[in-house]
Amino acid sequence: MPNLDDILEHIGEFDLFQKRAFFLICLLSAAFAPVYIGVVFLGFIPEHRCLNPGVAELSRRCGWTLEEELNYTVPKGEAFIQQCMRYDVDWNATELSCTNTLENFSHLNGSIPLTTCQDGWLYDSSIQSIVSEFDLVCKDSWKLDVFQACVNVGFCLGSVYVGYIADRFGRKTSVLITTLVTTIAGVLVAVAPNYIWTVIFRFMQGLVGKGSWTAGYILITEIVGASYRRTVAILYQAAFAIGLLILDALAYAIPHWRWLQLAVTLPTFLLLLYYWCLPESPRWLLSRGQNAKAMEIVGDIAKKNKKTLPPYFESINLEEDNEKDAKQNPSVLDLVRTPQMRKYTLILMYNWFTSAITYQGLIMHVGISGDNVYLDFLYSSIVEFPAAAILIFTTERVGRRYPWAVANLMAGIACLVAAFTPEDMHWLKIIAASLGRLGITMAFEMVCFVNTELYPTFLRNLGVMVCSSLCDFGGIISPFVVYRLTEIWHQLPLLVFTVVAIIAAGSVLLLPETKGRNLPETIDDVENFHRYHTKQLK
């Protein structure tokens, strides 16, 4: 009995119908970018200094400029001291005249006491973010880390039940439900009355946001032919980069975080039109025994592609449905029970973690690196397009292992170069950061589909779900790595990314090459790879 891939070869594997659906689904991928990494602009840390009301009257009487007033407000020295401490002196109560300076204020003998900032901060008024609105600086700076981490916690917790919705009620239904909830939560973030509610609504976005992106990924790969599946998957991820560019442009035009949040959220309500524009996955319908509906969609694909469905394709089955798979019950213990499976699982989990912490970390580091954050973000986002092109042209020619290892190595070396590049050579720092972004983007996309090629059929979905959970864990800790380590040394996060990426490059070489290899069906196939591979070549 023919399967769906056999029919797609006759009615079009990636023809007009699939191209239209692919374009629509790519809009979903682009819309996910602000959910995933919006903290760069929503949580932008503007220039800020501690206020000292004890100097206000003296400043008014002397007619000081803002810069002159700040000389008596904040101490000289490191940026952290300037932003989070102030002179513990009521200058209005001193004998200081308008012509005196701190240096000749002899009463304090050059030792001016400091105290913590107690009366608020003065922010750069050109940008309004959650940092300036909720005073997420100094002793409360950790709350910015929580703001980004909470969405990744949502990703982690939500992946299981959203996957259940997609498997139980359909890919299209999952896309519509998660898109609606994500959009409503995004609007609530924009109107949240305080920091606590902002975090709660951001967490709600995370619970369904990644599930929406994943459901779209599954849907588009299930309605194209096998020969186009990998290319479509890579380009779908490249559409995410388009979303980053749009986010960058909107952030430049709208420097207020609430209006920016609405600008990137409200248009996603239009994605609910997918109810009339997208088909349900025929593969999912077949897996649920709804062959009549599946054949109806197949007929619609043939009609839109101006092809004729051969008469002998009266019924189809799903090639993955076989007795052998039905008799095997997957278990998490199967992922670590045998030596090769254990090695694969540990290496893949580490690479998911590395890809997430380095990818998100590099993007967030751009937001605190100074200079022009919008241009820096633009340059580093553009490199995601050549990353997709390189993968499309190398994975089927060179293989998986070596491009993957080189991508991680490139990311690690680039981060090292960026860390030790002098500040006056900003152009070189941007080039290095962009190459790091290029490398880690390639590594991120590689781990997505190599993960599916290493596990046996009955364990494939479970294996990807368990290993990719480390991706969410990496996303949870990345803001803490970036924002907290930066207070110790601005370039320290880049050194962390260097170490984890270089280790990942070496670990990838311990995996087998999967290019041209039939997918394993059992754990024995994995454990006896060389014998299995030789058998497949005969």
Side-chain angles (χ1 to χ4, degrees):
M1 186 179 293
N3 58 46
L4 185 59
D5 285 331
D6 295 330
I7 293 183
L8 289 175
E9 290 179 4
H10 288 81
I11 65 174
E13 292 186 286
F14 191 60
D15 218 323
L16 181 61
F17 182 93
Q18 288 96 333
K19 289 176 181 177
R20 187 191 69 174
F22 175 64
F23 171 77
L24 294 174
I25 288 295
C26 281
L27 297 178
L28 183 68
S29 182
F32 178 60
V35 178
Y36 188 70
I37 206 66
V39 69
V40 173
F41 299 112
L42 300 182
F44 184 80
I45 306 175
E47 289 291 330
H48 55 283
R49 292 177 182 270
C50 184
L51 292 175
N52 186 352
V55 76
E57 176 60 28
L58 185 64
S59 174
R60 187 193 63 79
R61 188 172 69 245
C62 296
W64 284 339
T65 65
L66 175 62
E67 197 61 37
E68 289 173 322
E69 181 178 332
L70 287 175
N71 287 333
Y72 296 88
T73 302
V74 296
K76 305 295 184 181
E78 297 295 327
F80 178 79
I81 296 297
Q82 291 179 327
Q83 295 166 354
C84 300
M85 305 289 286
R86 68 171 176 83
Y87 291 126
D88 190 18
V89 177
D90 184 354
W91 298 107
N92 297 322
T94 67
E95 298 178 358
L96 189 70
S97 69
C98 297
T99 58
N100 286 125
T101 63
L102 294 178
E103 286 74 13
N104 62 19
F105 190 60
S106 57
H107 292 81
L108 296 173
N109 298 318
S111 178
I112 305 177
L114 300 177
T115 187
T116 57
C117 194
Q118 301 168 355
D119 301 286
W121 290 263
L122 178 68
Y123 296 96
D124 177 5
S125 59
S126 64
I127 297 176
Q128 294 184 333
S129 70
I130 64 169
V131 172
S132 57
E133 180 166 336
F134 301 129
D135 286 335
L136 306 185
V137 292
C138 299
K139 62 182 178 63
D140 289 327
S141 59
W142 60 272
K143 293 181 179 179
L144 179 60
D145 309 0
V146 173
F147 176 76
Q148 175 59 16
C150 69
V151 76
N152 287 282
V153 173
F155 290 160
C156 186
L157 297 178
S159 60
V160 175
Y161 76 82
V162 174
Y164 170 78
I165 292 175
D167 287 338
R168 177 67 177 82
F169 300 103
R171 316 311 193 202
K172 179 179 175 180
T173 301
S174 179
V175 166
L176 293 172
I177 293 175
T178 54
T179 298
L180 177 61
V181 177
T182 301
T183 305
I184 293 174
V187 172
L188 292 175
V189 168
V191 299
N194 53 48
Y195 169 78
I196 296 296
W197 281 109
T198 302
V199 170
I200 292 173
F201 295 141
R202 180 82 168 147
F203 173 72
M204 289 173 55
Q205 271 195 305
L207 281 176
V208 292
K210 185 180 177 182
S212 177
W213 186 90
T214 304
Y217 182 94
I218 295 172
L219 176 57
I220 193 59
T221 55
E222 288 184 342
I223 63 175
V224 301
S227 58
Y228 288 91
R229 209 164 289 149
R230 184 169 291 110
T231 300
V232 164
I234 292 174
L235 292 178
Y236 178 75
Q237 296 178 73
F240 177 85
I242 297 177
L244 294 177
L245 297 180
I246 295 173
L247 172 63
D248 187 43
L250 288 174
Y252 178 78
I254 309 173
H256 192 296
W257 77 273
R258 290 186 185 272
W259 291 110
L260 174 61
Q261 177 67 18
L262 287 175
V264 299
T265 301
L266 291 178
T268 58
F269 275 113
L270 296 175
L271 299 182
L272 298 178
L273 296 175
Y274 284 174
Y275 180 83
W276 295 278
C277 301
L278 286 180
E280 180 54 87
S281 167
R283 294 180 190 275
W284 176 80
L285 291 170
L286 288 168
S287 71
R288 306 297 297 181
Q290 302 180 43
N291 287 40
K293 289 185 178 179
M295 290 302 298
E296 182 180 340
I297 293 175
V298 167
D300 191 37
I301 294 175
K303 181 180 178 181
K304 296 291 175 53
N305 290 343
K306 298 181 180 180
K307 301 290 179 64
T308 302
L309 185 65
Y312 50 86
F313 285 142
E314 296 179 355
S315 61
I316 53 179
N317 72 346
L318 201 61
E319 61 182 359
E320 288 83 2
D321 291 339
N322 54 62
E323 292 183 4
K324 179 169 60 176
D325 288 344
K327 293 178 181 178
Q328 301 181 82
N329 297 314
S331 167
V332 173
L333 290 179
D334 291 329
L335 299 175
V336 294
R337 196 187 307 276
T338 58
Q340 291 301 315
M341 288 293 296
R342 186 160 52 247
K343 182 176 76 172
Y344 291 1
T345 299
L346 293 177
I347 292 175
L348 288 169
M349 291 174 74
Y350 179 76
N351 275 270
W352 275 106
F353 169 80
T354 297
S355 297
I357 191 174
T358 306
Y359 182 85
Q360 289 197 35
L362 284 176
I363 293 178
M364 285 184 284
H365 197 265
V366 167
I368 60 175
S369 61
D371 209 64
N372 191 322
V373 64
Y374 304 105
L375 283 179
D376 294 350
F377 190 88
L378 173 66
Y379 299 147
S380 62
S381 297
I382 287 177
V383 301
E384 297 208 9
F385 298 103
I390 292 171
L391 288 181
I392 290 174
F393 288 108
T394 60
T395 53
E396 292 303 324
R397 292 172 174 80
V398 180
R400 277 63 156 155
R401 280 199 314 165
Y402 293 116
W404 190 5
V406 169
N408 275 311
L409 185 62
M410 178 194 301
I413 293 176
C415 289
L416 184 64
V417 171
F420 291 101
T421 299
E423 293 298 329
D424 58 353
M425 299 180 67
H426 188 70
W427 60 272
L428 180 58
K429 189 179 287 288
I430 290 299
I431 291 175
S434 297
L435 289 176
R437 180 79 170 273
L438 173 66
I440 204 61
T441 298
M442 293 173 57
F444 216 148
E445 296 185 3
M446 287 291 290
V447 72
C448 287
F449 65 80
V450 172
N451 200 153
T452 65
E453 295 178 331
L454 286 174
Y455 284 130
T457 299
F458 82 102
L459 267 178
R460 193 163 294 130
N461 289 336
L462 178 63
V464 172
M465 183 183 72
V466 171
C467 292
S468 64
S469 65
L470 268 292
C471 169
D472 299 321
F473 179 70
I476 291 171
I477 70 172
S478 59
F480 295 92
V481 170
V482 173
Y483 298 130
R484 293 313 108 223
L485 295 186
T486 298
E487 293 184 356
I488 301 175
W489 179 40
H490 191 76
Q491 309 302 335
L492 187 55
L494 294 178
L495 296 186
V496 174
F497 303 150
T498 297
V499 173
V500 296
I502 291 178
I503 294 175
S507 69
V508 166
L509 297 177
L510 300 177
L511 296 174
E513 178 56 65
T514 57
K515 173 180 174 290
R517 171 191 173 185
N518 287 357
L519 295 178
E521 297 293 338
T522 66
I523 291 180
D524 285 340
D525 291 337
V526 173
E527 293 300 311
N528 304 293
F529 166 68
H530 296 292
R531 184 180 66 185
Y532 171 79
H533 188 55
T534 302
K535 179 178 67 175
Q536 293 295 330
L537 293 176
K538 291 182 178 179

